[in-house]
């Protein structure tokens, strides 16, 4: 799958999922709204100075972990939908797939905990931590996709073998997929801080809806990147 075709498939797939499973698509929206409630309560949007002061507030960081979980967990439904295009099958609780997916989620959360709570809060460390975490996430992509599709033959080691030659492509592809939604996401954050306060909640609600779409796009881009790499390696991620 070429870069442009993968981008097109990602956005088409994300919209198809939102239309087919609207309530599930609202899960990350709800958690983003919850984080915004916390941010408003601590005064994050009062001014640029307040935003800098409360950027690493303990409550905000704790809810940041909840948000990470809200972004990762929908991958179960999204990947299954993209693979099978069957909403009923996508949401079905498959005990075997859920057990394997739980291991993948545990790794994702462990990386997020280190990023949010263990690393010093300075720019150089933050950038380095982001790059390392992104690399780990890319290497684990095939495992995550195979897990939710019920394929036990692709674990962490097999995932690294599948994805390691495709890290630069996948990084560029993921960035290209997220950028169209990340730019307005940060624009909404700036408007919430700098704009008229009567617009604060309309802006935060619009941002939460945008983040819901972004969450689906992130999962969809990971699915297409993993299936592309697995195809080149001659590996099937679907258990069949």
């Amino acid at each position: 799958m070429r870069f442009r075709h993968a981008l097109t498939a990602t956005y088409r797939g994300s919209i198809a999922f939102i239309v087919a499973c609207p309530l599930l698509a609202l899960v990350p929206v709800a958690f983003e709204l919850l984080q915004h409630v916390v941010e408003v309560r601590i005064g994050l949007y009062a001014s640029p100075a307040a935003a800098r002061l409360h950027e690493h507030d303990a409550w905000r960081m704790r809810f940041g972990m909840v948000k990470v979980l809200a972004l990762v967990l929908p991958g179960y439904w999204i990947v299954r939908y993209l693979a099978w295009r069957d909403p009923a099958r996508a949401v079905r609780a498959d005990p075997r797939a859920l057990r394997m997916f739980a291991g993948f989620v545990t790794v994702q959360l462990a990386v997020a905990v280190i990023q949010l709570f263990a690393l010093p809060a300075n720019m150089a460390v933050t950038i380095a931590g982001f790059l390392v975490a992104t690399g780990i996430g890319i290497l684990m992509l095939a495992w995550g996709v195979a897990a939710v599709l019920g394929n036990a033959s692709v674990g962490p080691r097999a995932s690294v073998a599948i994805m390691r030659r495709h890290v630069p492509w996948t990084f560029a592809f993921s960035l290209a997929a997220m950028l169209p939604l990340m730019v307005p996401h940060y624009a909404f954050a700036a408007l919430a801080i700098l704009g008229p306060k009567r617009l604060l909640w309309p802006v935060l609600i619009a941002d939460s809806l945008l983040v819901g779409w972004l969450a689906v796009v992130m999962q969809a881009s990971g699915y297409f990147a993993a299936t592309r790499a697995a195809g080149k390696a001659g590996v099937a991620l679907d258990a069949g």
Side-chain angles (χ1 to χ4, degrees), residues 3 7 10-11 172-181 214 217-218 221:
F3 199 95
L7 277 177
T10 292
Y11 273 87
F173 173 65
S174 301
L175 189 62
M178 291 188 296
L179 203 57
L181 299 180
L214 175 61
V217 167
M218 289 169 61
S221 66

Side-chain angles (χ1 to χ4, degrees), residues 152-237:
S153 67
V154 179
R157 183 177 298 179
S159 184
V160 171
I162 292 169
M163 298 301 305
R164 62 187 178 188
R165 295 180 181 177
H166 304 278
V167 171
W169 189 96
T170 304
F171 178 81
F173 173 65
S174 301
L175 189 62
M178 291 188 296
L179 203 57
L181 299 180
M182 288 298 293
V183 170
H185 172 53
Y186 284 111
F188 279 139
L191 183 58
I193 295 169
L194 301 172
K197 295 312 170 190
R198 68 179 181 276
L199 296 179
L200 178 61
W201 274 110
V203 168
L204 294 181
I205 291 170
D207 180 60
S208 298
L209 292 169
L210 181 72
V211 167
W213 187 13
L214 175 61
V216 181
V217 167
M218 289 169 61
Q219 294 291 344
S221 66
Y223 168 77
F224 287 111
T227 53
R228 172 187 177 273
K232 289 182 176 294
V235 177
L237 297 182

